[in-house]
């Protein structure tokens, strides 16, 4: 149907269950790695199903509705199946209207950045901030990135939006430095899509030049999926960035297909232990072991480990006991608008 979209036609179904079974067979056969040029590649599939006659009586409508169900499946985490239901039509409509307002949002200056401090666990001082985007949608209110970043990625709008984030984050960090605060790093999230553009390095270089930020005060957060991409070109790009003095960290570490080989191969400085492992750190022994292992592994590869989503003193105490280097989370501070983040710097707030 498209570059990475396929349709399966199942005639004469006796019941909907059969579609589910077939979808299961498709996803489980895709679960095996594909061996390509000496590497194991993994793919997942999201599936949308539309069943005649209640999801449509002609081919075109059925395909359209299967497509809507497919988007729903993708939204709810990949690798799933969704059946079309009439309620999805209104969701699809919402999505369309979100897409058109997302296109206008940059021009109308509806985006803003929140800043969440990252803290050193030894000294207790703020060592940096993560820039997190928010969308102030007129008449609707603040929308979190989880709601619009996936759509921005699908539509390619993540490229101009990501560039805006980079420029604004660098500019803010320079503003703090010029105001006389001790220099800290600003961490910016990058989407996989931004790596598929040859000019990412240029975009970053420009953001640094225009703002006057020294590269060592910029950190780029990438996900494991970036490293699973076209290896050589990604590696070259990352090398160029680190050669400039920029620091790279891996976000949500432990949730992707972690091929440990890449940790050696790529110029990474820091692993951010995903909050799903931190959440039950003190109640689930498995999560505690995972956190301890990730921190240990980071250290043996001479990387720093930062725990995300730290909310309680008990989690903090455990993280300290396993030698985790840095933390970020509600326990110290939520992501804050710029004035409030600045207040933390004024107060010299410590852990
Ligand atoms: P992330 O990069 O892993 O960011 C951490 C998320 O965890 C943030 O959600 C933050 O508000 C939340 N968080 C921080 N501390 C705690 C805590 O103690 N407890 C809990 N429950 N949550 C905590 P947010 O701001 O909604 O961002 C969600 C995701 O959206 C980010 O995950 C990141 O993947 C993406 N994102 C945000 N800004 C950007 C951006 O500028 N560009 C791109 N490409 N993605 C972005
Ligand atoms: Mg992040
Ligand atoms: Mg994260």
């Amino acid at each position: 149907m498209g570059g990475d979209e396929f349709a399966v036609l199942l005639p004469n179904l006796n019941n909907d269950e059969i579609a589910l079974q077939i979808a299961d067979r498709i996803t489980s056969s895709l679960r095996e790695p594909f061996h390509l040029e000496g590497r194991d590649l993994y793919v997942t599939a999201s599936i949308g199903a539309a069943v005649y006659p209640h999801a449509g009586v002609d081919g075109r409508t059925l395909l359209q509705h299967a497509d809507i169900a497919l988007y729903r499946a993708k939204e709810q985490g990949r690798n799933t199946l969704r059946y079309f239901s009439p309620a999805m039509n209104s969701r699809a409509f919402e999505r369309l209207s979100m897409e058109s307002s997302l296109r206008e949002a940059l021009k109308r200056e509806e985006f803003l950045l929140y800043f969440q401090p990252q803290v050193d666990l030894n000294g207790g001082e703020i060592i940096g901030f993560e820039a997190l985007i928010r969308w102030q949608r007129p008449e609707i209110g603040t929308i979190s990135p989880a709601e619009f970043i996936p759509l921005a990625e699908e539509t390619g709008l993540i490229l101009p939006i990501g560039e805006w984030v980079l420029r604004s984050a660098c500019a803010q960090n320079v503003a703090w430095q010029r105001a006389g605060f001790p220099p800290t790093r600003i961490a910016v999230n990058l989407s996989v899509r931004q790596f598929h553009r040859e000019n990412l390095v240029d975009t970053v270089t420009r953001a640094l030049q225009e703002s006057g930020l020294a590269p060592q005060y910029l950190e780029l957060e990438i996900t494991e999926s970036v490293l699973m991409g076209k290896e050589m070109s990604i590696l070259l790009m990352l090398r160029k960035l680190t050669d400039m003095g920029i620091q790279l960290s891996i976000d949500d570490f432990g949730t992707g297909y972690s091929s440990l080989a890449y940790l050696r191969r790529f110029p990474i400085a820091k692993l951010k232990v995903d909050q799903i492992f931190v959440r039950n750190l003190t109640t689930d022994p498995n999560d505690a072991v995972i956190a301890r292992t990730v921190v240990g592994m980071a250290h043996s590869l001479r990387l720093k480990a930062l725990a995300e989503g730290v909310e309680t003193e008990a989690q903090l105490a455990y993280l300290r006991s396993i030698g985790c280097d840095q933390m970020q989370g509600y326990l110290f501070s939520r992501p804050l608008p710029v004035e409030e983040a600045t207040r933390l710097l004024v107060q010299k707030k410590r852990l």
Side-chain angles (χ1 to χ4, degrees), residues 9 20 37 43 63 106 123 265 283 292 309 350:
L9 180 64
L20 189 63
E37 297 176 3
V43 295
L63 268 177
L106 262 180
R265 218 166 321 131
T283 49
R292 187 160 36 118
R350 304 172 83 83

Side-chain angles (χ1 to χ4, degrees), residues 130 189 221 251-253 272-275 308:
E130 178 173 3
N189 294 283
E221 295 193 3
D251 204 353
D252 308 332
F253 185 79
K272 298 189 72 181
V273 184
D274 193 79
Q275 45 187 36
E308 301 189 86

Side-chain angles (χ1 to χ4, degrees), residues 31-73:
R31 209 162 290 143
E32 297 293 312
F34 289 82
H35 307 291
L36 259 182
E37 297 176 3
R39 275 173 60 84
D40 283 347
L41 300 180
Y42 294 85
V43 295
T44 57
S46 301
I47 301 179
V51 182
Y52 172 93
H54 42 264
V57 290
D58 59 90
R60 221 178 119 222
T61 312
L62 281 168
L63 268 177
Q64 249 171 25
H65 287 171
D67 197 42
I68 288 174
L70 169 64
Y71 274 114
R72 198 81 182 107

Side-chain angles (χ1 to χ4, degrees), residues 4-5 46 69-78 80 154:
D4 58 354
E5 266 181 38
S46 301
L70 169 64
Y71 274 114
R72 198 81 182 107
K74 282 187 181 168
E75 275 172 16
Q76 303 196 332
R78 301 183 170 243
T80 46
E154 259 170 57

Side-chain angles (χ1 to χ4, degrees), residues 88-242:
M88 286 182 187
N89 249 339
S90 59
R91 290 267 324 183
F93 181 77
E94 248 172 56
R95 192 175 171 278
L96 262 180
S97 93
M98 194 193 236
E99 181 176 334
S100 65
S101 27
L102 196 56
R103 287 189 189 282
E104 300 299 313
L106 262 180
K107 255 182 288 170
R108 297 190 183 150
E109 303 185 7
E110 293 171 5
F111 293 115
L112 79 169
L113 291 182
Y114 272 43
F115 300 90
Q116 187 177 35
Q118 302 183 335
V119 181
D120 184 86
L121 284 180
N122 294 311
E125 77 280 10
I126 296 175
I127 47 164
F129 288 90
E130 178 173 3
L132 294 157
I133 193 171
R134 300 289 179 266
W135 179 16
Q136 293 208 296
R137 209 174 156 190
E139 278 144 52
I140 293 185
T142 307
I143 304 195
S144 78
E147 287 176 71
F148 66 89
I149 292 285
L151 184 60
E153 285 173 344
E154 259 170 57
T155 53
L157 288 167
I158 193 65
L159 297 171
I161 294 174
E163 189 169 341
W164 176 86
V165 172
L166 256 172
R167 278 191 282 123
S168 314
C170 291
Q172 183 53 54
N173 206 12
V174 166
W176 278 325
Q177 293 184 6
R178 297 212 171 125
F181 297 113
T184 59
R185 240 188 218 116
I186 189 87
V188 172
N189 294 283
L190 291 183
S191 286
V192 181
R193 239 351 249 259
Q194 291 173 272
F195 280 87
H196 295 162
R197 279 285 275 272
E198 301 302 329
N199 64 4
L200 175 68
V201 177
D202 296 340
T203 307
V204 173
T205 310
R206 222 173 324 121
L208 289 172
Q209 274 167 359
E210 279 170 16
S211 62
L213 184 69
Q216 71 264 34
Y217 298 118
L218 177 63
E219 173 172 323
L220 298 174
E221 295 193 3
I222 61 181
T223 52
E224 290 163 275
S225 51
V226 168
L227 306 181
M228 302 299 288
K230 287 178 288 176
E231 186 168 349
M232 268 324 278
S233 62
I234 302 273
L235 182 61
L236 285 177
M237 237 184 253
L238 296 181
R239 281 260 163 78
K240 274 189 199 148
L241 294 168
T242 49

